[in-house]
Amino acid sequence: MWEVWEVWEERTQNFLFYPQSPHPPSSFLSLHPTPYTLHPSCCPILKKNPMNSEDSLIVAIDQSWSDDFAVGLKGWILSKEGAIDEVKISVGETSIPITSWHPRPDAIAAYPQYSQNENCGFVVQVPRLAEHPLTFTAKTQGTTASKTLVVTGAPLQTSPDVSQGGGIFGEFIQLVNDRHLRILEIGSRVVSPGSASKRDLFPGAASYTGFDYYGDDNTDVVGDAHRLSQYFDGQRFDAIFSLSVFEHLAMPWLVAMEINKCLEVGGITFHATHFSWPLHETPWDFWRFSDEGLKVLFSPPMGFETINAGLFNPLRMHLDTFVAGQELLPLSPGFAGVAILAQKTADLNANRFNWDVTMEEVLGNQSHYPQKE
């Protein structure tokens, strides 16, 4: 923590500094009712410098990252002057407001006298373009020469051969609303912090049904997507979709077959999942997909044809350890997400495709999808 207290000790005639404590140590001052209460054992005189704008803020950074194009921060901020209305953060010439706030009970406990708002924790990403001065030193026939260059971050190059999938979900939403379709969402439970139900995206839908492995207020039917058709007793939908679900399916090909069983012929299905992403929801984090891989799952032999498919959210891949030959890996195009929009053209031929295996046979009885507390 960054606040500095100055305590005048009469016996030593010195100021004592405590830069890493929210209050003067208990050996000098009691913590209640105010940070200025004198401790009876030594009676120091507490002095505070005149408060300027920098002194009035208490800021802590818990985690950070940076690359040539951005700085990411997680931390918290309090003001000694009262509740904070707005915070902007600047890196070089770039300044943006912090908009993502969350509670930080640890900060409030450390500074109860400044606890006007418990949502003092933040996460933020600030764009910037880094510059790196580089000095080259060469020895030639007994002489030494140096040259300094300034290198700026290189923009990420996206290959023109890569299909862009960022707008495909919008296509799906428009089709559902314009055609007033009956829609089923696989993975309807609201899980991630800051996420929300997708139900409101489909005001024109004839009906919305939420399906998930665990229940919540947004889930109408609880069950295993590998046996999807068994929960609807012959009922069919005009549209089925999922967001960040297919990577968690032990047998995604089996779920594609079940989606076929639950869709009307001519119905549409949309799925967005990960091409590259950190491990999450382990141990049930099974797969990563390319757009070509999703086309195989929703292919003509499975009773589908692809309307659109592609990758989205470009990213750079950095190895944390040196690997010879991979020095320029971050310059290769990478993507976080992948999506497909397909249409059902025919019912599944059960004689051609049969995968009569249970989840327990594949994963054992001790493996379960993690349930939020």
Side-chain angles (χ1 to χ4, degrees):
M1 300 178 184
W2 294 4
E3 184 178 7
V4 177
W5 292 82
E6 296 177 358
V7 179
W8 178 259
E9 173 55 62
E10 291 287 346
R11 291 171 295 184
T12 63
Q13 298 291 298
N14 286 316
F15 281 110
L16 306 179
F17 297 90
Y18 296 94
Q20 294 183 337
S21 174
H23 303 285
S26 58
S27 60
F28 286 95
L29 298 176
S30 77
L31 304 183
H32 301 288
T34 74
Y36 300 96
T37 302
L38 300 182
H39 194 282
S41 64
C42 61
C43 295
I45 301 171
L46 178 67
K47 294 186 65 177
K48 291 293 288 181
N49 290 329
M51 187 173 294
N52 56 40
S53 61
E54 187 168 321
D55 291 333
S56 68
L57 295 178
I58 309 170
V59 183
I61 301 300
D62 302 316
Q63 294 176 305
S64 68
W65 64 266
S66 64
D67 61 17
D68 279 352
F69 301 98
V71 176
L73 301 169
K74 176 185 177 183
W76 53 266
I77 182 170
L78 292 170
S79 172
K80 301 176 185 177
E81 300 297 307
I84 295 176
D85 299 318
E86 180 187 41
V87 178
K88 289 185 178 180
I89 184 169
S90 301
V91 177
E93 299 298 322
T94 303
S95 179
I96 65 169
I98 296 178
T99 58
S100 178
W101 296 95
H102 57 270
R104 284 297 297 261
D106 56 337
I108 298 303
Y111 291 93
Q113 69 273 35
Y114 306 131
S115 58
Q116 295 89 352
N117 185 357
E118 66 174 6
N119 288 323
C120 60
F122 63 84
V123 291
V124 63
Q125 179 173 322
V126 187
R128 61 91 179 254
L129 185 62
E131 293 186 346
H132 307 284
L134 305 176
T135 299
F136 296 82
T137 303
K139 292 183 177 181
T140 306
Q141 297 180 353
T143 63
T144 301
S146 297
K147 187 175 184 64
T148 299
L149 303 175
V150 176
V151 177
T152 58
L156 181 64
Q157 300 296 322
T158 301
S159 170
D161 298 328
V162 175
S163 299
Q164 301 299 308
I168 300 178
F169 190 37
E171 294 181 44
F172 175 76
I173 292 172
Q174 184 171 352
L175 287 170
V176 170
N177 287 320
D178 289 351
R179 298 179 182 179
H180 309 295
L181 304 182
R182 299 164 296 169
I183 187 171
L184 170 68
E185 179 180 7
I186 301 174
S188 58
R189 186 168 56 105
V190 179
V191 178
S192 302
S195 63
S197 167
K198 303 302 181 289
R199 192 180 298 253
D200 293 341
L201 297 177
F202 303 99
S207 64
Y208 171 99
T209 302
F211 180 91
D212 203 286
Y213 195 73
Y214 295 121
D216 72 351
D217 292 341
N218 194 53
T219 299
D220 304 294
V221 180
V222 175
D224 177 8
H226 297 86
R227 298 184 288 118
L228 186 67
S229 61
Q230 298 180 25
Y231 299 95
F232 294 101
D233 193 26
Q235 177 185 355
R236 291 200 173 188
F237 298 90
D238 305 308
I240 298 176
F241 81 103
S242 73
L243 302 173
S244 298
V245 169
F246 263 69
E247 71 269 23
H248 300 297
L249 300 173
M251 298 169 284
W253 52 91
L254 184 56
V255 176
M257 295 164 61
E258 289 294 302
I259 289 171
N260 181 286
K261 295 177 184 178
C262 293
L263 262 182
E264 296 281 8
V265 174
I268 58 174
T269 187
F270 169 87
H271 304 280
T273 182
H274 299 310
F275 177 78
S276 301
W277 203 257
L279 282 172
H280 60 291
E281 302 297 322
T282 56
W284 282 26
D285 189 7
F286 300 112
W287 304 95
R288 298 294 182 266
F289 299 86
S290 68
D291 50 341
E292 297 300 326
L294 289 180
K295 290 178 184 178
V296 171
L297 282 180
F298 295 94
S299 60
M302 297 282 279
F304 297 98
E305 66 177 18
T306 297
I307 299 173
N308 200 354
L311 299 154
F312 61 93
N313 288 344
L315 56 75
R316 293 176 185 262
M317 300 181 186
H318 298 261
L319 297 173
D320 282 343
T321 56
F322 173 73
V323 177
Q326 300 299 324
E327 293 85 354
L328 300 181
L329 176 64
L331 299 181
S332 300
F335 294 86
V338 60
I340 188 169
L341 176 61
Q343 183 175 39
K344 177 178 173 178
T345 56
D347 286 330
L348 182 73
N349 186 338
N351 294 325
R352 192 173 183 186
F353 292 97
N354 183 27
W355 190 270
D356 189 15
V357 178
T358 67
M359 286 279 288
E360 289 74 18
E361 289 177 279
V362 173
L363 300 177
N365 294 322
Q366 303 304 313
S367 180
H368 303 283
Y369 188 84
Q371 185 171 14
K372 299 298 180 183
E373 300 265 339

